[in-house]
């Protein structure tokens, strides 16, 4: 099991990867629910989290839009609750084409 440590102010929190992937991302600018974290992007040298990946919702009954995802930079996370992440950003800036990656 992986344990991640990250700084939020002066406090160091410890969080398991499994728990991060169970959190729902919510944008506090407009209250939109982006979805649940599906992947974590780590910095190869430091081992720190660079960003989180959340699949974008399909546009038409799961048939269209499955090729895009939200890439949420670690600095855009304002609050990490027990089962949610509050982010403060423009959602359209987060959307990008899905890339192949290793799942954790």
């Amino acid at each position: 099991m992986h344990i991640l440590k990250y700084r939020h102010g002066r406090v160091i929190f410890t969080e398991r990867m499994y728990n991060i992937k169970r959190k729902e991302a919510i944008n506090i600018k407009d209250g939109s629910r982006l979805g649940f974290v599906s992947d974590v992007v780590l910095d190869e040298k430091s081992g720190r989290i660079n960003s989180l990946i959340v699949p974008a919702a399909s546009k038409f009954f799961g048939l269209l839009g499955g090729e895009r995802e939200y890439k949420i930079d670690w600095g855009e996370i304002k609050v990490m609750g027990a089962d949610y992440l509050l982010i403060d950003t423009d959602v359209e800036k987060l959307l990008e084409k899905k890339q192949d990656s290793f799942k954790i």
Side-chain angles (χ1 to χ4, degrees):
M1 295 207 167
H2 296 73
I3 297 178
L4 304 173
K5 294 182 180 179
Y6 54 92
R7 295 188 187 278
H8 189 272
R10 286 189 238 153
V11 181
I12 298 177
F13 296 96
T14 302
E15 188 74 49
R16 296 186 184 273
M17 287 258 203
Y18 173 78
N19 291 337
I20 290 176
K21 291 179 71 172
R22 298 182 69 189
K23 296 182 187 294
E24 183 177 18
I26 301 170
N27 188 5
I28 59 178
K29 274 193 174 178
D30 60 6
S32 62
R33 300 174 114 179
L34 304 180
F36 290 88
V37 176
S38 67
D39 207 355
V40 177
V41 179
L42 301 174
D43 181 280
E44 292 178 15
K45 293 181 182 177
S46 69
R48 293 183 181 189
I49 297 175
N50 281 342
S51 56
L52 303 176
I53 305 297
V54 175
S58 299
K59 295 182 180 183
F60 185 70
F61 300 107
L63 300 174
L64 302 173
E67 296 180 7
R68 297 182 60 86
E69 60 192 9
Y70 298 107
K71 184 175 181 184
I72 303 168
D73 290 335
W74 190 250
E76 293 171 333
I77 299 171
K78 301 303 177 196
V79 176
M80 184 177 286
D83 56 355
Y84 61 87
L85 302 168
L86 296 181
I87 62 168
D88 186 15
T89 190
D90 179 20
V91 176
E92 292 303 316
K93 290 188 333 185
L94 300 177
L95 271 175
E96 62 179 39
K97 193 170 185 176
K98 192 180 283 189
Q99 297 177 0
D100 292 330
S101 61
F102 293 101
K103 299 289 181 186
I104 298 175

